[in-house]
PDB file of all heavy atoms in Angstrom:
ATOM      1  N   LEU C   1      -3.728  10.455-110.105  1.00  0.00           N
ATOM      2  CA  LEU C   1      -4.578   9.613-109.264  1.00  0.00           C
ATOM      3  C   LEU C   1      -5.652  10.438-108.569  1.00  0.00           C
ATOM      4  O   LEU C   1      -6.806  10.003-108.445  1.00  0.00           O
ATOM      5  CB  LEU C   1      -3.724   8.873-108.231  1.00  0.00           C
ATOM      6  CG  LEU C   1      -2.758   7.822-108.779  1.00  0.00           C
ATOM      7  CD1 LEU C   1      -1.849   7.309-107.668  1.00  0.00           C
ATOM      8  CD2 LEU C   1      -3.522   6.662-109.416  1.00  0.00           C
ATOM      9  N   GLN C   2      -5.275  11.626-108.108  1.00  0.00           N
ATOM     10  CA  GLN C   2      -6.242  12.510-107.458  1.00  0.00           C
ATOM     11  C   GLN C   2      -7.308  12.953-108.454  1.00  0.00           C
ATOM     12  O   GLN C   2      -8.500  13.016-108.114  1.00  0.00           O
ATOM     13  CB  GLN C   2      -5.525  13.725-106.865  1.00  0.00           C
ATOM     14  CG  GLN C   2      -4.627  13.409-105.689  1.00  0.00           C
ATOM     15  CD  GLN C   2      -5.407  12.988-104.464  1.00  0.00           C
ATOM     16  OE1 GLN C   2      -5.643  11.790-104.250  1.00  0.00           O
ATOM     17  NE2 GLN C   2      -5.813  13.955-103.656  1.00  0.00           N
ATOM     18  N   TYR C   3      -6.902  13.275-109.663  1.00  0.00           N
ATOM     19  CA  TYR C   3      -7.851  13.701-110.691  1.00  0.00           C
ATOM     20  C   TYR C   3      -8.876  12.607-110.968  1.00  0.00           C
ATOM     21  O   TYR C   3     -10.073  12.879-111.150  1.00  0.00           O
ATOM     22  CB  TYR C   3      -7.091  14.062-111.968  1.00  0.00           C
ATOM     23  CG  TYR C   3      -7.977  14.420-113.134  1.00  0.00           C
ATOM     24  CD1 TYR C   3      -8.530  15.693-113.240  1.00  0.00           C
ATOM     25  CD2 TYR C   3      -8.267  13.483-114.126  1.00  0.00           C
ATOM     26  CE1 TYR C   3      -9.358  16.022-114.312  1.00  0.00           C
ATOM     27  CE2 TYR C   3      -9.090  13.800-115.191  1.00  0.00           C
ATOM     28  CZ  TYR C   3      -9.635  15.069-115.278  1.00  0.00           C
ATOM     29  OH  TYR C   3     -10.455  15.389-116.328  1.00  0.00           O
ATOM     30  N   LEU C   4      -8.415  11.359-110.991  1.00  0.00           N
ATOM     31  CA  LEU C   4      -9.312  10.243-111.264  1.00  0.00           C
ATOM     32  C   LEU C   4     -10.094   9.801-110.026  1.00  0.00           C
ATOM     33  O   LEU C   4     -11.015   8.991-110.130  1.00  0.00           O
ATOM     34  CB  LEU C   4      -8.516   9.054-111.808  1.00  0.00           C
ATOM     35  CG  LEU C   4      -7.867   9.246-113.186  1.00  0.00           C
ATOM     36  CD1 LEU C   4      -6.995   8.041-113.532  1.00  0.00           C
ATOM     37  CD2 LEU C   4      -8.923   9.470-114.260  1.00  0.00           C
ATOM     38  N   GLY C   5      -9.708  10.313-108.871  1.00  0.00           N
ATOM     39  CA  GLY C   5     -10.391   9.936-107.637  1.00  0.00           C
ATOM     40  C   GLY C   5     -10.108   8.514-107.196  1.00  0.00           C
ATOM     41  O   GLY C   5     -10.935   7.892-106.523  1.00  0.00           O
ATOM     42  N   ARG C   6      -8.941   7.990-107.519  1.00  0.00           N
ATOM     43  CA  ARG C   6      -8.592   6.611-107.182  1.00  0.00           C
ATOM     44  C   ARG C   6      -7.864   6.538-105.845  1.00  0.00           C
ATOM     45  O   ARG C   6      -7.064   7.416-105.506  1.00  0.00           O
ATOM     46  CB  ARG C   6      -7.716   5.995-108.273  1.00  0.00           C
ATOM     47  CG  ARG C   6      -8.395   5.960-109.641  1.00  0.00           C
ATOM     48  CD  ARG C   6      -9.675   5.149-109.605  1.00  0.00           C
ATOM     49  NE  ARG C   6     -10.407   5.191-110.852  1.00  0.00           N
ATOM     50  CZ  ARG C   6     -10.840   4.109-111.496  1.00  0.00           C
ATOM     51  NH1 ARG C   6     -10.604   2.909-110.998  1.00  0.00           N
ATOM     52  NH2 ARG C   6     -11.516   4.241-112.619  1.00  0.00           N
ATOM     53  N   LYS C   7      -8.134   5.463-105.101  1.00  0.00           N
ATOM     54  CA  LYS C   7      -7.502   5.256-103.801  1.00  0.00           C
ATOM     55  C   LYS C   7      -6.986   3.813-103.725  1.00  0.00           C
ATOM     56  O   LYS C   7      -7.629   2.931-103.161  1.00  0.00           O
ATOM     57  CB  LYS C   7      -8.496   5.537-102.670  1.00  0.00           C
ATOM     58  CG  LYS C   7      -9.013   6.976-102.653  1.00  0.00           C
ATOM     59  CD  LYS C   7     -10.005   7.199-101.529  1.00  0.00           C
ATOM     60  CE  LYS C   7     -10.494   8.636-101.527  1.00  0.00           C
ATOM     61  NZ  LYS C   7     -11.484   8.874-100.429  1.00  0.00           N
ATOM     62  N   PRO C   8      -5.811   3.572-104.309  1.00  0.00           N
ATOM     63  CA  PRO C   8      -5.278   2.200-104.346  1.00  0.00           C
ATOM     64  C   PRO C   8      -4.907   1.695-102.965  1.00  0.00           C
ATOM     65  O   PRO C   8      -4.416   2.436-102.119  1.00  0.00           O
ATOM     66  CB  PRO C   8      -4.044   2.335-105.241  1.00  0.00           C
ATOM     67  CG  PRO C   8      -3.635   3.767-105.085  1.00  0.00           C
ATOM     68  CD  PRO C   8      -4.908   4.542-104.942  1.00  0.00           C
ATOM     69  N   GLY C   9      -5.129   0.401-102.763  1.00  0.00           N
ATOM     70  CA  GLY C   9      -4.788  -0.213-101.481  1.00  0.00           C
ATOM     71  C   GLY C   9      -3.527  -1.052-101.517  1.00  0.00           C
ATOM     72  O   GLY C   9      -2.936  -1.330-100.467  1.00  0.00           O
ATOM     73  N   ARG C  10      -3.119  -1.476-102.725  1.00  0.00           N
ATOM     74  CA  ARG C  10      -1.902  -2.280-102.896  1.00  0.00           C
ATOM     75  C   ARG C  10      -1.157  -1.737-104.107  1.00  0.00           C
ATOM     76  O   ARG C  10      -1.726  -1.673-105.195  1.00  0.00           O
ATOM     77  CB  ARG C  10      -2.248  -3.759-103.092  1.00  0.00           C
ATOM     78  CG  ARG C  10      -2.996  -4.398-101.935  1.00  0.00           C
ATOM     79  CD  ARG C  10      -3.661  -5.690-102.372  1.00  0.00           C
ATOM     80  NE  ARG C  10      -4.655  -5.429-103.431  1.00  0.00           N
ATOM     81  CZ  ARG C  10      -5.290  -6.392-104.107  1.00  0.00           C
ATOM     82  NH1 ARG C  10      -5.011  -7.665-103.875  1.00  0.00           N
ATOM     83  NH2 ARG C  10      -6.178  -6.066-105.041  1.00  0.00           N
ATOM     84  N   ILE C  11       0.087  -1.344-103.909  1.00  0.00           N
ATOM     85  CA  ILE C  11       0.829  -0.627-104.946  1.00  0.00           C
ATOM     86  C   ILE C  11       2.183  -1.285-105.173  1.00  0.00           C
ATOM     87  O   ILE C  11       2.881  -1.635-104.215  1.00  0.00           O
ATOM     88  CB  ILE C  11       1.045   0.849-104.546  1.00  0.00           C
ATOM     89  CG1 ILE C  11      -0.293   1.540-104.252  1.00  0.00           C
ATOM     90  CG2 ILE C  11       1.807   1.601-105.637  1.00  0.00           C
ATOM     91  CD1 ILE C  11      -0.137   2.931-103.659  1.00  0.00           C
ATOM     92  N   LEU C  12       2.565  -1.416-106.438  1.00  0.00           N
ATOM     93  CA  LEU C  12       3.915  -1.831-106.825  1.00  0.00           C
ATOM     94  C   LEU C  12       4.509  -0.733-107.689  1.00  0.00           C
ATOM     95  O   LEU C  12       3.905  -0.330-108.689  1.00  0.00           O
ATOM     96  CB  LEU C  12       3.875  -3.140-107.618  1.00  0.00           C
ATOM     97  CG  LEU C  12       5.165  -3.525-108.358  1.00  0.00           C
ATOM     98  CD1 LEU C  12       6.298  -3.806-107.374  1.00  0.00           C
ATOM     99  CD2 LEU C  12       4.925  -4.735-109.270  1.00  0.00           C
ATOM    100  N   GLU C  13       5.687  -0.243-107.313  1.00  0.00           N
ATOM    101  CA  GLU C  13       6.397   0.709-108.156  1.00  0.00           C
ATOM    102  C   GLU C  13       7.667   0.065-108.698  1.00  0.00           C
ATOM    103  O   GLU C  13       8.492  -0.461-107.941  1.00  0.00           O
ATOM    104  CB  GLU C  13       6.765   1.996-107.416  1.00  0.00           C
ATOM    105  CG  GLU C  13       7.453   2.991-108.340  1.00  0.00           C
ATOM    106  CD  GLU C  13       7.686   4.361-107.731  1.00  0.00           C
ATOM    107  OE1 GLU C  13       7.492   4.523-106.517  1.00  0.00           O
ATOM    108  OE2 GLU C  13       8.094   5.277-108.483  1.00  0.00           O
ATOM    109  N   ILE C  14       7.825   0.118-110.005  1.00  0.00           N
ATOM    110  CA  ILE C  14       8.988  -0.424-110.696  1.00  0.00           C
ATOM    111  C   ILE C  14       9.879   0.748-111.073  1.00  0.00           C
ATOM    112  O   ILE C  14       9.453   1.663-111.778  1.00  0.00           O
ATOM    113  CB  ILE C  14       8.545  -1.210-111.944  1.00  0.00           C
ATOM    114  CG1 ILE C  14       7.584  -2.340-111.534  1.00  0.00           C
ATOM    115  CG2 ILE C  14       9.763  -1.778-112.686  1.00  0.00           C
ATOM    116  CD1 ILE C  14       6.816  -2.941-112.692  1.00  0.00           C
ATOM    117  N   GLY C  15      11.125   0.730-110.579  1.00  0.00           N
ATOM    118  CA  GLY C  15      11.994   1.892-110.699  1.00  0.00           C
ATOM    119  C   GLY C  15      11.697   2.864-109.580  1.00  0.00           C
ATOM    120  O   GLY C  15      11.501   4.060-109.799  1.00  0.00           O
ATOM    121  N   CYS C  16      11.670   2.358-108.356  1.00  0.00           N
ATOM    122  CA  CYS C  16      11.177   3.127-107.209  1.00  0.00           C
ATOM    123  C   CYS C  16      12.252   3.938-106.503  1.00  0.00           C
ATOM    124  O   CYS C  16      11.941   4.655-105.539  1.00  0.00           O
ATOM    125  CB  CYS C  16      10.522   2.181-106.195  1.00  0.00           C
ATOM    126  SG  CYS C  16      11.679   1.053-105.365  1.00  0.00           S
ATOM    127  N   ALA C  17      13.526   3.838-106.926  1.00  0.00           N
ATOM    128  CA  ALA C  17      14.638   4.477-106.200  1.00  0.00           C
ATOM    129  C   ALA C  17      14.605   3.982-104.751  1.00  0.00           C
ATOM    130  O   ALA C  17      14.583   2.779-104.520  1.00  0.00           O
ATOM    131  CB  ALA C  17      14.573   5.988-106.311  1.00  0.00           C
ATOM    132  N   ASN C  18      14.567   4.891-103.783  1.00  0.00           N
ATOM    133  CA  ASN C  18      14.554   4.452-102.376  1.00  0.00           C
ATOM    134  C   ASN C  18      13.140   4.308-101.825  1.00  0.00           C
ATOM    135  O   ASN C  18      12.963   4.098-100.622  1.00  0.00           O
ATOM    136  CB  ASN C  18      15.345   5.434-101.512  1.00  0.00           C
ATOM    137  CG  ASN C  18      14.641   6.785-101.364  1.00  0.00           C
ATOM    138  OD1 ASN C  18      13.739   7.115-102.134  1.00  0.00           O
ATOM    139  ND2 ASN C  18      15.066   7.557-100.380  1.00  0.00           N
ATOM    140  N   GLY C  19      12.138   4.436-102.701  1.00  0.00           N
ATOM    141  CA  GLY C  19      10.752   4.272-102.260  1.00  0.00           C
ATOM    142  C   GLY C  19      10.101   5.541-101.754  1.00  0.00           C
ATOM    143  O   GLY C  19       9.060   5.478-101.102  1.00  0.00           O
ATOM    144  N   TRP C  20      10.666   6.700-102.089  1.00  0.00           N
ATOM    145  CA  TRP C  20      10.128   7.964-101.561  1.00  0.00           C
ATOM    146  C   TRP C  20       8.660   8.157-101.933  1.00  0.00           C
ATOM    147  O   TRP C  20       7.849   8.585-101.100  1.00  0.00           O
ATOM    148  CB  TRP C  20      10.953   9.149-102.073  1.00  0.00           C
ATOM    149  CG  TRP C  20      10.789   9.402-103.545  1.00  0.00           C
ATOM    150  CD1 TRP C  20      11.532   8.881-104.567  1.00  0.00           C
ATOM    151  CD2 TRP C  20       9.775  10.218-104.156  1.00  0.00           C
ATOM    152  NE1 TRP C  20      11.063   9.324-105.777  1.00  0.00           N
ATOM    153  CE2 TRP C  20       9.976  10.149-105.558  1.00  0.00           C
ATOM    154  CE3 TRP C  20       8.732  11.006-103.667  1.00  0.00           C
ATOM    155  CZ2 TRP C  20       9.177  10.812-106.466  1.00  0.00           C
ATOM    156  CZ3 TRP C  20       7.924  11.675-104.568  1.00  0.00           C
ATOM    157  CH2 TRP C  20       8.154  11.579-105.955  1.00  0.00           C
ATOM    158  N   ARG C  21       8.314   7.849-103.196  1.00  0.00           N
ATOM    159  CA  ARG C  21       6.915   8.019-103.613  1.00  0.00           C
ATOM    160  C   ARG C  21       6.024   7.007-102.902  1.00  0.00           C
ATOM    161  O   ARG C  21       4.929   7.343-102.427  1.00  0.00           O
ATOM    162  CB  ARG C  21       6.799   7.862-105.129  1.00  0.00           C
ATOM    163  CG  ARG C  21       5.362   8.012-105.632  1.00  0.00           C
ATOM    164  CD  ARG C  21       5.225   7.748-107.130  1.00  0.00           C
ATOM    165  NE  ARG C  21       5.757   8.845-107.935  1.00  0.00           N
ATOM    166  CZ  ARG C  21       6.806   8.748-108.725  1.00  0.00           C
ATOM    167  NH1 ARG C  21       7.476   7.596-108.801  1.00  0.00           N
ATOM    168  NH2 ARG C  21       7.219   9.780-109.442  1.00  0.00           N
ATOM    169  N   LEU C  22       6.470   5.773-102.825  1.00  0.00           N
ATOM    170  CA  LEU C  22       5.687   4.733-102.167  1.00  0.00           C
ATOM    171  C   LEU C  22       5.426   5.065-100.704  1.00  0.00           C
ATOM    172  O   LEU C  22       4.322   4.843-100.192  1.00  0.00           O
ATOM    173  CB  LEU C  22       6.415   3.389-102.264  1.00  0.00           C
ATOM    174  CG  LEU C  22       6.453   2.728-103.638  1.00  0.00           C
ATOM    175  CD1 LEU C  22       7.380   1.520-103.607  1.00  0.00           C
ATOM    176  CD2 LEU C  22       5.052   2.315-104.081  1.00  0.00           C
ATOM    177  N   ALA C  23       6.442   5.589-100.026  1.00  0.00           N
ATOM    178  CA  ALA C  23       6.276   5.912 -98.607  1.00  0.00           C
ATOM    179  C   ALA C  23       5.177   6.944 -98.412  1.00  0.00           C
ATOM    180  O   ALA C  23       4.343   6.833 -97.497  1.00  0.00           O
ATOM    181  CB  ALA C  23       7.599   6.420 -98.030  1.00  0.00           C
ATOM    182  N   GLN C  24       5.135   7.938 -99.292  1.00  0.00           N
ATOM    183  CA  GLN C  24       4.120   8.980 -99.159  1.00  0.00           C
ATOM    184  C   GLN C  24       2.747   8.487 -99.609  1.00  0.00           C
ATOM    185  O   GLN C  24       1.721   8.862 -99.037  1.00  0.00           O
ATOM    186  CB  GLN C  24       4.553  10.215 -99.936  1.00  0.00           C
ATOM    187  CG  GLN C  24       5.817  10.850 -99.350  1.00  0.00           C
ATOM    188  CD  GLN C  24       6.248  12.096-100.090  1.00  0.00           C
ATOM    189  OE1 GLN C  24       5.485  13.052-100.222  1.00  0.00           O
ATOM    190  NE2 GLN C  24       7.484  12.092-100.585  1.00  0.00           N
TER     191      GLN C  24
END
């Protein structure tokens, strides 16, 4: 995402475990 320069405002993660990636 950083390489592409994208800044998403609404995110869905499928297979998120406890949401560690989403939280960050």
Side-chain angles (χ1 to χ4, degrees):
L1 293 172
Q2 292 291 92
Y3 176 81
L4 294 174
R6 300 300 175 129
K7 299 179 180 180
R10 299 162 298 172
I11 304 172
L12 167 65
E13 182 172 10
I14 302 165
C16 68
N18 70 343
W20 69 270
R21 179 184 286 114
L22 288 172
Q24 295 181 57

